[in-house]
Amino acid sequence: MSRPFKRILLKLSGEALMGDGAYGIDVAAVDRLAGEVKAARDAGFELCLVIGGGNIFRGLAAAAKGFERATGDYMGMLATIMNALAVQNGLERAGVDTRVQSAIPMASVCEPYIRRRAQRHLEKGRTVIFAAGVGSPFFTTDTGAALRAAEMGCDALFKGTSVDGIYDSDPKKNASAKRYDRISFADVLGKDLKVMDASAVALCRDNNIPIVVFNIREHGNLARVLAGEGTATIVTNEA
Ligand code: UDP
């Protein structure tokens, strides 16, 4: 059964751009992700993208080593702009019309975030990449993704990860971990399941935006999950 979504926000962590590397941006990985997005576009879905920055810099990790947190967070946000430009480049090579909008204005590099303008891009069939999270330190791109999903009227937030859904414990460490097909926001928060930041989950709960967790590393999986096939966990208010 096809899922009742038309416009979605796809959130990827910066690590999705690393490929098999341990840091930075791998062009082949970017091209593969661009192919996933193109297949979803070609199937008629409208897409917004938020890419993290963890493949380059994370403010919290730097703060643990003595760095000032806010400065580290601004550096992390700048990293997300680099990632957004890399993905824009991959998408345009794949023939997908794309705009980058940043929550930190950077006039000669990309557009500033303007909600109505982003809406217009989507109406014209462009894919919009939202960079720099919410534009403030002490947040993450998960929360940025939930916020933009609400502002853009997205029908769902798709979180692409390296596992095929939400488990009751880490499936990479526990062979008998159980995967949920559906789960409620209340259970995700109550059981402290590490799906997305709690603030992002709460924002989706309050705005009734389902979160779909799926494996982005499997070829063709975004289009498959959007078509209601493939394996994923869906988080809603009712589950
Ligand atoms: N960040 C921030 N405010 C935001 C979004 C991101 O300060 O609204 C910073 C924060 O330091 C974060 C880094 O940017 O660690 C990279 O983002 P994130 O950790 O969400 O990336 P991901 O884990 O998804 O790759």
Side-chain angles (χ1 to χ4, degrees):
M1 188 191 70
S2 171
R3 294 192 196 271
F5 306 138
K6 167 83 179 149
R7 178 178 294 181
I8 64 146
L9 188 141
L10 173 64
K11 161 75 204 318
L12 300 175
S13 72
E15 285 170 6
L17 307 190
M18 290 191 321
D20 295 329
Y23 178 81
I25 299 169
D26 175 58
V27 176
V30 172
D31 283 345
R32 208 192 58 73
L33 289 174
E36 296 290 308
V37 173
K38 182 173 168 35
R41 281 274 327 129
D42 290 349
F45 293 95
E46 292 178 355
L47 275 101
C48 307
L49 262 65
V50 168
I51 328 272
N55 55 323
I56 300 173
F57 202 88
R58 274 204 183 96
L60 199 56
K65 294 180 188 154
F67 219 81
E68 192 219 355
R69 169 76 190 268
T71 303
D73 280 344
Y74 279 112
M75 291 170 68
M77 284 185 267
L78 294 177
T80 71
I81 300 176
M82 290 173 63
N83 284 340
L85 295 179
V87 171
Q88 177 177 45
N89 194 267
L91 283 171
E92 294 201 327
R93 272 182 287 127
V96 179
D97 203 5
T98 307
R99 294 290 186 275
V100 174
Q101 291 202 344
S102 171
I104 296 176
M106 203 178 276
S108 49
V109 173
C110 59
E111 294 181 6
Y113 173 63
I114 299 172
R115 189 181 67 87
R116 292 175 70 105
R117 194 161 170 185
Q119 291 272 16
R120 192 80 189 104
H121 288 320
L122 291 172
E123 286 161 16
K124 286 183 172 173
R126 297 174 184 140
T127 293
V128 186
I129 306 175
F130 297 110
V134 304
S136 297
F138 301 98
F139 285 93
T140 68
T141 53
D142 276 357
T143 308
L147 176 62
R148 296 293 182 246
E151 290 181 285
M152 289 300 120
C154 291
D155 302 312
L157 193 166
F158 274 60
K159 163 97 174 170
T161 69
S162 57
V163 286
D164 58 0
I166 303 175
Y167 285 75
D168 58 359
S169 61
D170 186 348
K172 289 181 179 165
K173 293 181 187 151
N174 177 9
S176 55
K178 176 182 155 291
R179 191 182 61 77
Y180 298 97
D181 269 337
R182 304 183 71 90
I183 187 168
S184 66
F185 290 115
D187 278 348
V188 167
L189 292 170
K191 295 180 200 288
D192 198 20
L193 300 172
K194 305 282 180 213
V195 181
M196 300 184 86
D197 292 343
S199 51
V201 175
L203 206 51
C204 286
R205 176 196 61 196
D206 295 351
N207 292 289
N208 214 9
I209 300 169
I211 300 175
V212 180
V213 182
F214 72 106
N215 188 345
I216 188 73
R217 290 180 188 253
E218 241 178 73
H219 187 67
N221 214 23
L222 175 60
R224 236 185 338 265
V225 173
L226 277 166
E229 301 153 8
T231 312
T233 298
I234 181 160
V235 189
T236 60
N237 271 314
E238 297 91 46

